[in-house]
Amino acid sequence: MMTINSTQVSYFTFGAYFDLGLSKYLWFMIIMCFYVVIVCTNVLLIVVICMNRSLHEPMYLFLCSLFVSELFGSAGLFPFLLVQILSDIHTVSFSSCFLQIFCLYTYANVQFYNLAVMSYDRYLAICYPLQYNTRMAFNKVTMLIAVTWFIPVLHIVIVIFLSASLQLCGNIIDRLFCDNYSVVKLACYDTTVNNIYGLMYTFIVLFGLAILIFYTYMRILRVCFSGSKQTRQKAVSTCTPHLASLLNFSFGCFFEIAQGRFDMNRAPIMLRIFLSLYFLTCQPLFNPLMYGLNLTKIRIICKSLVFDKM
């Protein structure tokens, strides 16, 4: 295969798209409706949290950060996906591809950081209720939200810098969208630096956050089993949406890793598409519905807004 320097690659071609015929317009409308619902639900909850002073508590502020990240990630995927569905030539420019990688990877990392911070917040609220307001003061909440965005953005900038400087031997990505691993697989030469950095970040940062989540919920469960009925009810009402979101996100990440690391050519094409898009499309819709329906304060305010307008 002829070597192509990465600075000479002006576009990438997606190999996962196939001819949909006239049904592409139906799929365009379905995905467009899906995107509109995601935007409306996340924006609604952001506005509800920001406009109501009774919701200016750590848990709801972390939720607001979570919803913002979902809007950010959705903006990096859906407009691009809609254009590709209607297009006959499935290509993307070099710079646009890395812009999409930045949006999608930032979204995924911020989600994981947010879920870890939220588990720590629930741990303090349930295990140390008398010290909660002191330990989770507004300044600390602001700092934690800043960290959940700053570190992922810094990490993704480094990842993109390392990947964009690689020499590539091709420009065909066998996916529906740009992802860093597919670009790295096109490299002509050694990618040791990329691999070492990725492994270090995974084991030091992401594995550390996973341990934090596991530890906090072990402590929460211990308090629930030994505490009063009221404590158990509080834990169930506030932790159930978070656990459901965490499990959904974990399954989505597993599907994405399996799609990228293993040979899925023998799997049905629709299954491959579902696995590829699951955590980028379901999580931004799952979280607003889960938190909006299960958290009493948000549910009451949303109901009042809807019925007042009716």
Side-chain angles (χ1 to χ4, degrees):
M1 190 179 294
M2 184 177 66
T3 301
I4 306 174
N5 190 285
S6 63
T7 57
Q8 297 174 340
V9 173
S10 59
Y11 65 93
F12 292 99
T13 301
F14 296 102
Y17 288 93
F18 58 95
D19 186 17
L20 294 171
L22 293 177
S23 65
K24 67 182 181 182
Y25 299 106
L26 174 63
W27 284 108
F28 178 88
M29 292 303 299
I30 292 172
I31 293 174
M32 171 66 81
C33 292
F34 204 80
Y35 183 42
V36 169
V37 172
I38 287 174
V39 171
C40 291
T41 53
N42 280 278
V43 169
L44 172 64
L45 291 179
I46 291 171
V47 171
V48 165
I49 292 171
C50 291
M51 298 299 292
N52 289 272
R53 295 185 63 85
S54 62
L55 298 180
H56 291 180
E57 300 175 7
M59 180 175 69
Y60 299 106
L61 295 177
F62 293 137
L63 275 177
C64 192
S65 174
L66 196 74
F67 299 145
V68 170
S69 74
E70 287 165 358
L71 289 175
F72 185 76
S74 298
L77 174 68
F78 281 95
F80 171 86
L81 199 60
L82 291 169
V83 170
Q84 292 295 325
I85 288 174
L86 294 181
S87 177
D88 294 325
I89 302 174
H90 306 293
T91 61
V92 64
S93 67
F94 184 84
S95 57
S96 296
C97 184
F98 279 102
L99 177 61
Q100 185 176 50
I101 291 173
F102 174 79
C103 292
L104 299 184
Y105 278 57
T106 299
Y107 150 73
N109 277 264
V110 171
Q111 280 275 312
F112 192 47
Y113 275 76
N114 249 311
L115 291 171
V117 169
M118 289 168 68
S119 68
Y120 174 68
D121 173 70
R122 292 301 83 205
Y123 160 71
L124 291 181
I126 294 169
C127 299
Y128 300 97
L130 299 180
Q131 305 173 32
Y132 177 73
N133 291 331
T134 303
R135 292 195 177 194
M136 198 57 74
F138 181 77
N139 290 340
K140 187 173 182 180
V141 172
T142 305
M143 181 197 71
L144 288 172
I145 292 175
V147 168
T148 61
W149 282 88
F150 176 76
I151 295 180
V153 167
L154 179 62
H155 163 61
I156 303 307
V157 168
I158 295 173
V159 166
I160 289 176
F161 173 79
L162 292 174
S163 299
S165 61
L166 291 172
Q167 286 187 318
L168 306 181
C169 286
N171 65 343
I172 298 177
I173 297 176
D174 192 26
R175 300 297 298 276
L176 296 172
F177 53 87
C178 290
D179 74 293
N180 185 67
Y181 185 70
S182 296
V183 173
V184 172
K185 286 197 297 185
L186 297 173
C188 302
Y189 301 111
D190 190 26
T191 58
T192 302
V193 175
N194 302 67
N195 295 332
I196 290 176
Y197 177 75
L199 289 173
M200 287 178 60
Y201 180 80
T202 299
F203 283 100
I204 295 175
V205 179
L206 299 185
F207 189 64
L209 292 176
I211 291 175
L212 172 65
I213 294 172
F214 179 78
Y215 171 78
T216 54
Y217 271 96
M218 288 300 99
R219 292 293 303 272
I220 289 172
L221 288 174
R222 183 180 177 183
V223 170
C224 288
F225 285 124
S226 61
S228 63
K229 183 179 179 180
Q230 184 179 1
T231 302
R232 287 195 295 271
Q233 289 177 342
K234 178 182 177 182
V236 169
S237 64
T238 60
C239 292
T240 298
H242 181 264
L243 279 174
S245 176
L246 184 62
L247 288 173
N248 186 63
F249 182 71
S250 300
F251 281 123
C253 288
F254 174 77
F255 292 154
E256 174 63 15
I257 292 170
Q259 175 83 350
R261 269 49 174 190
F262 301 103
D263 184 10
M264 302 287 289
N265 290 327
R266 296 183 180 180
I269 184 65
M270 295 307 294
L271 176 62
R272 291 169 56 192
I273 291 173
F274 172 77
L275 295 179
S276 180
L277 295 175
Y278 180 82
F279 99 113
L280 292 171
T281 56
C282 291
Q283 186 78 355
L285 182 60
F286 179 86
N287 278 343
L289 294 177
M290 177 59 64
Y291 287 106
L293 293 174
N294 281 277
L295 296 181
T296 306
K297 284 186 177 181
I298 291 180
R299 185 172 67 249
I300 291 173
I301 294 173
C302 288
K303 280 184 178 179
S304 65
L305 285 174
V306 173
F307 287 116
D308 286 346
K309 289 183 179 180
M310 292 176 62

